[in-house]
Amino acid sequence: MTQQERRPWIVGVSGASGTPFAASVLRGLLAAGESVDLVVSRASRLTLLDETGIAFRDAHWQEDLASWLARGADGKPDTFRPDIGGVRHWAAGDLAAGPSSGSYPAKGMLIVPASTACVAGVALGLSKDLLQRAASVTLKERRKLVVAVRETPLSGQTLKQMVALDEAGAVVLPASPAFYAGATHIQDLVDFVAGRVLDAAGVPHQLYRRWEGELGGASRG
């Protein structure tokens, strides 16, 4: 695939707790054969270091991303073996990056997890970093924007900002796992949320067992 033919999903990772959600979404996109443009905010690097012990460095992003995506939600390394060949990384401070322009070809953007600060910035149309700028571009170009909010409880101001995002055309998707899919492991709960993000984006996956209208089906499956 040439650069002219490439149309990636932009994945923005903000500073909210929940880096395993982002890892699962990234693995799901790559497994579906999708190209990915990755933006990891400065705040999210602190969260990633705290939750996984991985320091995400721009100069060594491929090594650090491979280590991150190989790690399970329970913290065990080498749980997965994803191929990161379809990923392109952009530094969060690079406002001249491709995704900062509407002429840059992209399918849409997934922000996972999305902090309340990120929600506010996107709702207000700020562009303090590449993540927010790419989200603003996604909205103005009428492309798919999925915002996986990870915070609780939610203030009235944040709720208003989430409504503003919905009215602007974004899909506001709280990171709320369900239990009807028969989860038996923390990875199952993480994958359910990631699967719902991919559902909203229209990307096929097999991350969770879908509801089929049969009570107790998960326990017998």
Side-chain angles (χ1 to χ4, degrees):
M1 180 185 298
T2 66
Q3 185 59 42
Q4 288 73 22
E5 296 172 329
R6 186 177 183 271
R7 289 189 66 235
W9 284 98
I10 302 167
V11 177
V13 186
S14 81
S17 176
T19 55
F21 294 130
S24 183
V25 166
L26 288 166
R27 287 192 297 265
L29 287 170
L30 295 173
E34 299 286 347
S35 297
V36 174
D37 276 21
L38 177 64
V39 182
V40 182
S41 76
R42 292 179 61 186
S44 70
R45 298 175 194 224
L46 297 176
T47 306
L48 182 63
L49 180 63
D50 183 56
E51 294 184 345
T52 69
I54 296 172
F56 193 92
R57 304 158 294 174
D58 289 335
H60 303 279
W61 71 268
Q62 290 172 308
E63 174 187 346
D64 299 335
L65 178 63
S67 296
W68 177 24
L69 298 192
R71 184 178 297 261
D74 57 3
K76 293 181 180 178
D78 300 321
T79 301
F80 302 98
R81 296 186 180 278
D83 180 0
I84 64 170
V87 180
R88 182 173 185 178
H89 168 260
W90 299 96
D94 184 4
L95 291 177
S100 68
S101 172
S103 66
Y104 183 79
K107 292 185 176 180
M109 183 172 184
L110 316 176
I111 305 177
V112 53
S115 66
T116 54
C118 175
V119 168
V122 177
L124 295 172
L126 304 181
S127 295
K128 75 178 185 105
D129 61 9
L130 180 59
L131 193 158
Q132 289 186 8
R133 173 59 185 168
S136 294
V137 168
T138 301
L139 286 176
K140 80 179 183 68
E141 296 295 326
R142 302 297 191 266
R143 296 168 183 159
K144 179 75 72 176
L145 175 64
V146 182
V147 183
V149 184
R150 215 308 305 160
E151 186 59 87
T152 190
L154 295 168
S155 70
Q157 191 61 43
T158 298
L159 290 170
K160 292 175 183 177
Q161 291 158 351
M162 290 165 64
V163 170
L165 287 177
D166 177 80
E167 292 176 342
V171 175
V172 179
L173 194 153
S176 302
F179 295 85
Y180 63 77
T184 59
H185 192 276
I186 186 174
Q187 188 68 54
D188 298 327
L189 298 175
V190 167
D191 286 347
F192 179 88
V193 172
R196 295 299 288 152
V197 171
L198 296 179
D199 286 345
V203 176
H205 66 87
Q206 296 183 355
L207 288 175
Y208 69 87
R209 178 187 180 277
R210 297 184 181 278
W211 176 252
E212 298 178 347
E214 180 184 1
L215 291 175
S219 63
R220 295 193 294 271

